[in-house]
């Protein structure tokens, strides 16, 4: 098979030939139909993730079909359409696992980091890490939903927002363009917050009821004029952007951050106290969360905007994503 590998931190992607891997007793071999490129793949490309071993095949937005199953696997059969996201398996025995918090497993595996991922024609994945892909959802569309999709969908459905509440999505990019669609489909009064006024028409097409040009007006003031946000989904990885919307939260409002900035954000605690509001973070989800995301997306026709590339162009696709030039997700088709 062909696979894209990183041989050491900072090295270029290399397309190599490898033996097709055999699944272990509790694993499934997936024939990869599509694999999304995510900013978190930089952990492999640049290094810095604890315990990461090289060479490594990146990719944690894997959509494909079951090619072979291990001897202990009964939940999956050859031909099943499946996907694997960031959460690549759990131990079942640590305290978070015993409480059903599989994403917080103390011994969690991560697809494309602790084992080889989807920048390849085949990948082996622990059986418990797989989500079923609906028949009417294309693999190229499904792949980004296994990271960007589940992150935004899961964050919104686990917030305190109810249908009709004012929900703002900050940033209209790889995460935000999906968050807008989910917010609209969930019945929220949806606000798009962006510093790019040229994204107004797109935001409205994706389901926004209001567009706030944060480069021309104060985003917090604009949200308060609309009644105060029950939830702001922070997808822009910018500390200043995060700081700018705290004042726009309504009573018991939540700023749910899913885009992680490199620098620390300074929060006005008095604003939180006076409005009984909160700033919190959210990380993607486990396999069942991913499957819920895929099923909801198919039901409500939520799809990512993608650019597709062959394996040989992984470097160029990765660079476009890192330089924020991709619109809005880059997907490899092995």
């Amino acid at each position: 098979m062909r696979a894209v590998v990183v041989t050491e931190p900072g090295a270029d992607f290399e397309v190599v030939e490898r033996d097709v891997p055999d699944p272990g007793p509790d694993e499934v071999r997936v024939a990869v139909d599509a694999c999304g490129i995510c900013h978190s793949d930089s952990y492999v490309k640049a290094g810095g993730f604890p315990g990461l071993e090289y060479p490594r095949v990146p990719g944690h937005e894997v959509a494909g079909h079951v090619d072979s199953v291990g001897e202990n696997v009964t939940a999956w059969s050859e031909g099943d359409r499946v996907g694997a996201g960031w959460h690549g398996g759990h131990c079942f025995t640590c305290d978070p696992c015993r409480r059903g918090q599989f994403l917080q497993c103390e011994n969690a595996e991560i697809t494309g980091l602790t084992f080889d991922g989807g920048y390849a024609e085949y990948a082996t994945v622990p059986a418990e890490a797989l989500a079923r892909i609906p028949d009417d959802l294309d693999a190229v569309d499904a792949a980004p939903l296994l990271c960007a999709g589940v992150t935004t969908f899961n964050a919104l459905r686990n917030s305190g927002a109810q249908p009709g509440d004012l929900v703002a999505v900050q940033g209209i990019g790889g995460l935000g363009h999906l968050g807008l669609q989910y917010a609209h489909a969930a019945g929220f009064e949806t606000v798009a917050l962006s510093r790019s006024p040229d994204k107004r028409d797109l935001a409205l097409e994706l389901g926004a009821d209001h567009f706030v040009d944060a480069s021309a007006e104060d985003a917090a003031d604009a949200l308060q004029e609309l009644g105060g946000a029950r939830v702001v989904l922070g997808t822009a990885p910018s500390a200043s952007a995060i700081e700018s919307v705290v004042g726009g939260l309504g009573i018991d409002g939540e700023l749910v951050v899913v885009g992680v900035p490199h620098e620390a954000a300074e929060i006005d605690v008095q604003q939180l106290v006076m409005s009984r509001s909160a700033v919190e973070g959210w990380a993607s989800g486990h396999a069942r969360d991913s499957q819920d995301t895929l099923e909801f997306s198919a039901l409500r026709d939520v799809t990512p905007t993608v650019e597709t590339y062959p394996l040989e162009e992984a470097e160029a696709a990765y660079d476009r994503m890192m330089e924020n030039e991709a619109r809005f997700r880059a997907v490899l088709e092995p």
Side-chain angles (χ1 to χ4, degrees):
M1 72 171 189
R2 292 175 306 139
V4 176
V5 301
V6 179
T7 57
E8 62 182 6
D12 290 339
F13 291 125
E14 295 182 25
V15 180
V16 301
E17 287 192 0
R18 284 184 166 187
D19 291 337
V20 175
D22 292 323
D26 300 306
E27 294 180 335
V28 169
R29 183 169 68 211
V30 178
V32 181
D33 296 318
C35 183
I37 296 177
C38 178
H39 192 279
S40 297
D41 294 342
S42 62
Y43 285 125
V44 178
K45 190 72 158 61
F49 193 86
L52 182 60
E53 297 180 357
Y54 291 89
R56 177 63 71 221
V57 177
H60 59 270
E61 298 180 356
V62 187
H65 56 277
V66 175
D67 179 71
S68 179
V69 300
E71 60 186 63
N72 296 336
V73 176
T74 59
W76 305 103
S77 302
E78 291 184 21
D80 288 347
R81 301 186 70 224
V82 294
W86 174 268
H87 178 63
H90 45 275
C91 71
F92 295 96
T93 58
C94 69
D95 196 57
C97 279
R98 294 182 66 198
R99 296 181 183 276
Q101 303 293 337
F102 299 128
L103 193 64
Q104 282 69 44
C105 173
E106 296 171 358
N107 306 295
E109 299 285 348
I110 302 174
T111 310
L113 271 83
T114 63
F115 61 90
D116 286 337
Y119 286 26
E121 293 180 318
Y122 295 90
T124 54
V125 180
E128 76 272 12
L130 293 173
R132 193 175 301 278
I133 298 177
D135 290 338
D136 53 353
L137 188 60
D138 186 81
V140 168
D141 290 334
L145 301 180
L146 292 156
C147 185
V150 66
T151 297
T152 51
F153 174 78
N154 219 19
L156 288 171
R157 73 168 178 171
N158 283 281
S159 73
Q162 299 292 321
D165 284 348
L166 189 73
V167 171
V169 177
Q170 178 193 52
I172 314 304
L175 291 164
H177 88 289
L178 290 169
L180 276 179
Q181 294 178 73
Y182 290 129
H184 172 73
F188 304 138
E189 183 181 354
T190 303
V191 185
L193 306 176
S194 176
R195 300 189 184 198
S196 301
D198 60 330
K199 291 183 177 179
R200 175 187 296 271
D201 290 344
L202 172 65
L204 297 176
E205 290 174 10
L206 293 174
D209 300 296
H210 312 277
F211 181 86
V212 174
D213 177 4
S215 68
E217 59 181 314
D218 185 276
D221 289 346
L223 290 175
Q224 288 298 343
E225 289 178 5
L226 291 169
R230 181 64 182 85
V231 169
V232 176
L233 182 67
T235 74
S238 163
S240 61
I242 291 170
E243 295 163 358
S244 71
V245 295
V246 174
L249 296 174
I251 297 173
D252 294 327
E254 302 167 70
L255 169 55
V256 184
V257 180
V258 295
V260 182
H262 293 294
E263 67 276 18
E266 296 184 4
I267 304 299
D268 187 339
V269 175
Q270 184 173 354
Q271 288 181 324
L272 301 181
V273 171
M274 296 302 292
S275 60
R276 282 196 326 234
S277 54
V279 177
E280 58 196 67
W282 190 269
S284 60
H286 52 65
R288 182 63 242 193
D289 294 324
S290 290
Q291 187 165 323
D292 290 346
T293 303
L294 295 168
E295 291 171 350
F296 184 85
S297 300
L299 180 69
R300 289 291 177 257
D301 197 26
V302 175
T303 56
T305 299
V306 302
E307 302 174 352
T308 59
Y309 300 84
L311 283 181
E312 290 76 12
E313 296 180 19
E315 189 82 38
Y318 175 85
D319 288 344
R320 278 184 60 79
M321 179 275 302
M322 291 297 291
E323 293 166 7
N324 201 30
E325 293 180 351
R327 194 171 176 103
F328 288 102
R329 308 293 296 188
V331 178
L332 298 176
E333 292 187 279

